[in-house]
């Protein structure tokens, strides 16, 4: 979440740009010296030839890696994202490595810790784990209340050494996923598989990244997601790909995942504080609980502290779509501005409406307003690491928004069509 002051916000935005620049420039070796060879391995086994929702499987794998890296995930977690369906998984049949013979190969590329996560990710029943066992046990209101309560509990634990295991939010979470983790059924053998609570959290965050990269209106049609809650209850197998390309109704679900993730992170912090107190201030990591895995907070939805209402998400998406589609000369810029402002009021958590609004303001010569909206849009796009409106790539949205921001600061905007086409340079 960006700081509130103007100077701090600018510094925060610059840090986001600096983190994203190697991805924007394709400088893979500066991100990880092994990354070019890892991508080559994925390319050599045909990942670039496989279909995946709105592109190729290779594109999806590298996108997930980028998102997790921009979210400051530990390297093994980011590498798990890069190879996350390499053995196939409960969602897709994309076994580009044979799990019975290829584990040594993958381990040789990414290391033991990352490969263990990759294999586990590919054998757990992720849909029941994430949705049936966690998300569907909470209402939106309950998540909001538990986020508030857990913030107080964590502060009491850290500042006052006060621990209360009988608090409602803690008792509920501990029933769903205990301190020792949970057992799920292997998707192929049916055998029990142990998943630590911290790894449950990691898989929850990875699912956030996985879904936000790939979902758009096609999946809404496929599963008849008319209420925007992404409950996978429909069966419209005749949905035609790719459909209209409209932004998908997945944000409510991702915000709920982020809220549950935050609750687990806070419960883990309280648990570790309590254990440290028992050991007279000494910190001893329990590797069986995977306490060596750092749990980072994705910056989306104000660091996973907000839940977006499903109805607001739907209204905001439709307002945005009305604004960006059709003939501007018939609507007029004033009406487009109204639509975008209303969209942002309903859903302030994605960048594209701010970006389009910035262009409207530039066209009208309202440069200061255009600058503010471009900065906000760019910040959100960089925090997500992927586009909400997938008609254009993340890199394309970033480049265009930086052009808008640059022109707003220059207080200049073309007054002829050829001038718009001449835009592009980013300084």
């Amino acid at each position: 979440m960006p700081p509130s002051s103007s100077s701090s916000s600018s510094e925060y935005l610059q840090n986001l740009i600096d983190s994203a620049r190697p991805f924007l420039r394709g400088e893979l070796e500066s991100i990880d010296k092994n990354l070019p060879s890892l991508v080559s391995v994925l390319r050599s086994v045909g990942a670039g030839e496989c279909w995946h929702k709105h592109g190729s499987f290779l594109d999806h794998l590298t996108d997930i890696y980028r998102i997790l890296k921009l979210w400051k995930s530990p390297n093994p977690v980011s590498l798990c994202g890069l190879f996350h369906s390499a053995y196939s998984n409960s969602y897709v049949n994309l076994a580009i490595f044979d799990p019975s013979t290829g584990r040594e190969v993958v381990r040789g590329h990414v290391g033991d810790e990352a490969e263990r996560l990759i294999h586990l990710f590919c054998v757990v029943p992720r849909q029941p784990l994430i949705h049936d066992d966690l998300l569907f046990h909470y209402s939106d209101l309950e998540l909001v209340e538990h986020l508030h309560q857990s913030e107080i509990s964590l502060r009491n634990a850290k500042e006052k050494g006060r621990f209360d295991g009988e608090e409602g939010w803690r008792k509920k979470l501990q029933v769903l996923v205990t301190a020792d983790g949970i057992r799920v059924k292997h998707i192929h053998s049916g055998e029990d598989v142990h998943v630590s609570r911290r790894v449950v959290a990691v898989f929850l965050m990875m699912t956030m990244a996985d879904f936000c990269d790939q979902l758009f209106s096609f999946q809404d049609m496929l599963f008849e997601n008319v209420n925007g809650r992404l409950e996978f209850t429909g069966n419209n197998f005749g949905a035609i790909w790719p459909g209209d390309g409209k932004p998908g109704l997945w944000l409510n679900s991702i915000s709920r995942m982020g809220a549950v993730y935050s609750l687990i992170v806070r419960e883990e912090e309280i648990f570790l504080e309590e254990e440290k107190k028992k050991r007279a201030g000494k910190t001893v990591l329990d590797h069986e609980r995977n306490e060596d895995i750092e749990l980072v907070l994705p910056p989306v939805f104000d660091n996973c502290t907000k839940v977006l209402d499903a109805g607001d998400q739907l209204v905001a998406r439709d307002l945005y779509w009305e604004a960006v589609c059709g003939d501007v000369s018939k609507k007029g810029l004033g009406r487009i501005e109204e639509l975008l402002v209303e969209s942002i009021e309903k859903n302030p958590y994605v960048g594209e409406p701010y970006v389009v609004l910035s262009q409207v303001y530039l066209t009208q010569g309202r440069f200061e307003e255009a600058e503010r909206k471009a900065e906000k849009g760019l910040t959100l796009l960089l925090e997500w690491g992927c586009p909400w409106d997938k008609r254009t790539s993340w890199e394309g949205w970033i480049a265009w928004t930086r052009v808008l921001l640059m022109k707003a600061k220059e207080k200049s905007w073309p007054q002829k069509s050829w001038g718009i086409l001449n835009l592009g340079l980013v300084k």
Side-chain angles (χ1 to χ4, degrees), residues 65-321:
Y65 177 85
R66 178 187 69 220
I67 293 167
L68 291 170
K69 271 293 185 183
L70 293 177
W71 289 355
K72 308 301 182 186
S73 295
N75 199 48
V77 174
S78 298
L79 290 174
C80 181
L82 185 62
F83 283 75
H84 74 273
S85 299
Y87 302 131
S88 190
N89 64 37
S90 59
Y91 280 111
V92 293
N93 180 21
L94 283 166
I96 55 177
F97 294 95
D98 186 338
S100 63
T101 60
R103 291 194 65 183
E104 283 295 330
V105 175
V106 175
R107 191 177 295 120
H109 290 303
V110 301
D112 291 345
E113 190 176 356
E115 196 281 331
R116 280 195 297 271
L117 284 174
I118 293 163
H119 184 260
L120 188 58
F121 189 83
C122 288
V123 302
V124 299
R126 192 156 51 108
Q127 174 71 15
L129 172 61
I130 300 299
H131 292 87
D132 300 340
D133 298 344
L134 290 173
L135 286 193
F136 294 164
H137 284 271
Y138 289 95
S139 68
D140 290 3
L141 179 60
E142 191 175 25
L143 282 172
V144 171
E145 291 173 346
H146 285 198
L147 284 168
H148 174 67
Q149 293 163 7
S150 62
E151 184 179 16
I152 296 171
S153 301
L154 181 58
R155 191 161 57 244
N156 285 337
K158 287 189 168 184
E159 297 176 4
K160 302 176 182 177
R162 185 189 303 163
F163 307 95
D164 183 1
E166 294 301 307
E167 291 175 309
W169 78 270
R170 294 191 68 190
K171 288 179 71 175
K172 175 159 186 170
L173 187 64
Q174 289 162 2
V175 167
L176 297 177
V177 53
T178 71
D180 293 328
I182 60 173
R183 291 197 173 275
V184 297
K185 296 296 183 183
H186 192 295
I187 62 172
H188 300 303
S189 69
E191 296 174 341
D192 280 350
V193 177
H194 175 256
V195 187
S196 74
R197 186 160 66 188
R198 293 180 83 85
V199 170
V200 170
V202 166
F203 288 174
L204 192 54
M205 180 179 66
M206 286 183 57
T207 301
M208 292 172 64
D210 184 31
F211 279 20
C212 72
D213 177 68
Q214 65 178 282
L215 296 183
F216 65 113
S217 60
F218 172 66
Q219 289 92 335
D220 292 333
M221 293 186 296
L222 198 62
F223 293 104
E224 299 173 323
N225 182 33
V226 293
N227 65 3
R229 294 194 63 82
L230 199 62
E231 295 168 331
F232 301 98
T233 52
N235 183 33
N236 182 23
F237 62 88
I240 302 299
W241 185 87
D244 58 13
K246 191 184 294 188
L249 299 174
W250 46 267
L251 287 166
N252 166 259
S253 181
I254 300 298
S255 72
R256 287 165 52 79
M257 289 184 201
V260 175
Y261 177 81
S262 281
L263 293 178
I264 296 176
V265 170
R266 289 171 180 178
E267 173 60 24
E268 277 290 303
E269 288 190 66
I270 292 170
F271 178 88
L272 293 178
E273 285 290 328
E274 198 163 11
E275 289 298 300
K276 186 167 71 172
K277 185 177 181 180
K278 291 176 184 176
R279 299 189 181 105
K282 293 182 180 179
T283 300
V284 180
L285 295 180
D286 184 343
H287 293 280
E288 289 295 316
R289 295 187 65 257
N290 296 114
E291 290 177 4
D292 52 323
I293 297 179
E294 181 187 4
L295 299 180
V296 298
L297 280 172
V300 299
F301 295 110
D302 290 349
N303 292 322
C304 297
T305 62
K306 299 293 193 302
V307 176
L308 176 63
D309 179 77
D312 287 346
Q313 164 197 230
L314 175 58
V315 171
R317 192 278 306 271
D318 289 347
L319 288 166
Y320 170 80
W321 197 246

Side-chain angles (χ1 to χ4, degrees), residues 316 319 335 337-347:
L319 288 166
R335 177 56 181 158
E337 178 187 355
E338 290 174 4
L339 292 167
L340 292 169
V341 169
E342 289 178 34
S343 175
I344 290 168
E345 286 175 353
K346 290 289 185 181
N347 174 13

